[in-house]
Amino acid sequence: MSLSTSTPTSPGSPGSTGTSLPTVPDDLLSIGDLDGPTIRGILDLAIELKRDPAGHSTALAGRSVALIFEKPSLRTRASLEVGLHRLGAQSVVFDQRDSPLGERESVHDLGRNLERWFDAVAARVNRHAVITELADCCDVPVVNTLSDLHHPCQALADLLTLHERGIPLDQAHVAFIGDGNNVCHSLIEAVVATGGRITVIAPPRHGPSADVVSAGERLGAITGGRVEVTDDPEAVRGVDAIYTDAWVSMGETEDPDKLEELTRFRVDESLMNLAGPEAVFMHCLPAHRGEEVVDRVIDGPRSVVFDQAENRLHAQNAWFVARLA
Ligand code: CP
Ligand code: NVA
């Protein structure tokens, strides 16, 4: 079943093995860079790449992508390195955990160097402003693989996972419960762009960015999507998916008051039961078992967390093929 409501907008190039490709913007810094039809086109391509990896093994032959990490990663690094290799591309990892971008040389000079060797740059950064600066000065596409504000690659994988579970994106109702963080922001943008409904359930002091929520409200008026914010965990009643993430994101200082406030937002079996028998459990991982989610939920039959992890590869590969093939 195709997710696209319209025909893909550009023909495939020879390197893409003839599959029609969606047209994507130069960079992927946030899901806000993509409209609903483009997201659906990327997801259709992801489904095709997942179905037939051998048929796309040379889609990016001869291409090189720089992978920069200012923060730790398992899923992002593995899915990018393995995924790009499957497309015939080379990737080179730059571990910058001990040397933040802009410290040894300016972000501008870094970007002007990288564009001479690489066809694209993917970066996980501490501050979102750094990736926008990199995109501004770098002539090749730049992909945000997590910043303090956004995690767009994760949200594409999340939509793909919902679709695979038979949840139509334009009818999906997702609850994000816990800390209104980077993953929450990208999920708001993704769900609303594709016409779904997202209920963010968070303590008032730790809700999502007001800018992201108001942009989501404006976009929803066009797409039919909806975003709402509450501090009532009972708002999970009837949702298709309950999504949570770490209460302390990478780079944040642990705050005992915040952890205390978040305790009543833990995902346990009674919360899943309140959502309903069909609701799935989602988490971008890494999970902090016993904190934001209990073992019996994340290890239970309704958990789709490892599908989400696998789908990182397919969703990212689709974006790279759409942009570079
Ligand atoms: N979900 C995610 O981005 O995982 P990593 O931090 O392990 O890359
Ligand atoms: N919100 C988490 C996501 C990790 C994938 C963080 O930024 O650490």
Side-chain angles (χ1 to χ4, degrees):
M1 182 176 54
S2 166
L3 285 92
S4 294
T5 48
S6 57
T7 311
T9 48
S10 71
S13 69
S16 73
T17 68
T19 306
S20 294
L21 301 180
T23 301
V24 297
D26 287 350
D27 304 307
L28 177 56
L29 305 186
S30 74
I31 290 288
D33 294 337
L34 308 172
D35 61 16
T38 305
I39 293 173
R40 288 171 185 276
I42 292 169
L43 299 182
D44 278 337
L45 184 54
I47 291 165
E48 166 61 14
L49 299 178
K50 185 172 183 175
R51 187 189 67 77
D52 181 22
H56 301 84
S57 59
T58 60
L60 296 185
R63 304 300 184 118
S64 300
V65 181
L67 309 179
I68 299 173
F69 290 93
E70 284 191 315
K71 299 181 183 186
S73 169
L74 171 67
R75 280 143 293 270
T76 302
R77 180 169 173 178
S79 59
L80 284 167
E81 285 204 71
V82 173
L84 289 162
H85 179 73
R86 281 193 196 171
L87 298 171
Q90 176 196 28
S91 55
V92 177
V93 172
F94 295 86
D95 182 347
Q96 301 294 136
R97 283 176 297 172
D98 297 325
S99 177
L101 302 190
E103 195 174 86
R104 183 162 180 261
E105 60 188 314
S106 70
V107 173
H108 173 271
D109 288 354
L110 172 71
R112 297 302 305 274
N113 275 269
L114 293 176
E115 70 188 19
R116 297 298 179 108
W117 308 303
F118 295 99
D119 298 292
V121 177
R124 168 166 285 195
V125 296
N126 292 315
R127 292 186 302 111
H128 192 74
V130 167
I131 197 134
T132 56
E133 186 182 354
L134 190 60
D136 283 347
C137 68
C138 200
D139 257 354
V140 296
V142 172
V143 177
N144 175 9
T145 57
L146 184 143
S147 68
D148 54 342
L149 290 184
H150 295 282
H151 198 358
C153 296
Q154 182 66 51
L156 291 175
D158 298 337
L159 292 185
L160 180 57
T161 306
L162 288 168
H163 170 76
E164 287 178 339
R165 288 284 156 162
I167 301 167
L169 299 184
D170 59 357
Q171 292 164 42
H173 184 185
V174 178
F176 183 98
I177 185 162
D179 185 30
N181 61 15
N182 45 7
V183 170
C184 175
H185 293 161
S186 291
L187 196 65
I188 291 172
E189 294 183 343
V191 169
V192 174
T194 49
R197 175 180 172 193
I198 181 164
T199 303
V200 179
I201 306 166
R205 288 197 320 129
H206 302 291
S209 145
D211 288 345
V212 171
V213 172
S214 50
E217 288 166 349
R218 288 194 300 276
L219 183 62
I222 299 164
T223 64
R226 187 167 154 194
V227 53
E228 61 219 351
V229 181
T230 173
D231 66 352
D232 180 5
E234 298 231 345
V236 299
R237 276 183 206 282
V239 299
D240 298 303
I242 293 183
Y243 198 129
T244 192
D245 184 18
W247 289 345
V248 183
S249 283
M250 291 181 280
E252 290 180 354
T253 311
E254 198 164 301
D255 169 359
D257 292 341
K258 179 181 179 185
L259 297 185
E260 176 61 31
E261 283 180 65
L262 280 159
T263 302
R264 71 189 180 92
F265 299 85
R266 175 173 299 132
V267 182
D268 58 16
E269 286 170 300
S270 63
L271 198 78
M272 290 302 299
N273 290 339
L274 201 56
E278 302 296 325
V280 297
F281 172 72
M282 304 182 77
H283 194 309
C284 60
L285 304 178
H288 305 78
R289 289 165 174 265
E291 205 160 89
E292 73 270 10
V293 60
V294 301
D295 287 345
R296 288 174 69 91
V297 169
I298 194 168
D299 295 329
R302 295 199 265 160
S303 174
V304 297
V305 300
F306 301 115
D307 294 334
Q308 292 174 260
E310 179 190 336
N311 283 336
R312 289 291 303 278
L313 184 154
H314 308 299
Q316 289 157 190
N317 272 10
W319 190 89
F320 279 110
V321 169
R323 186 66 185 81
L324 297 181

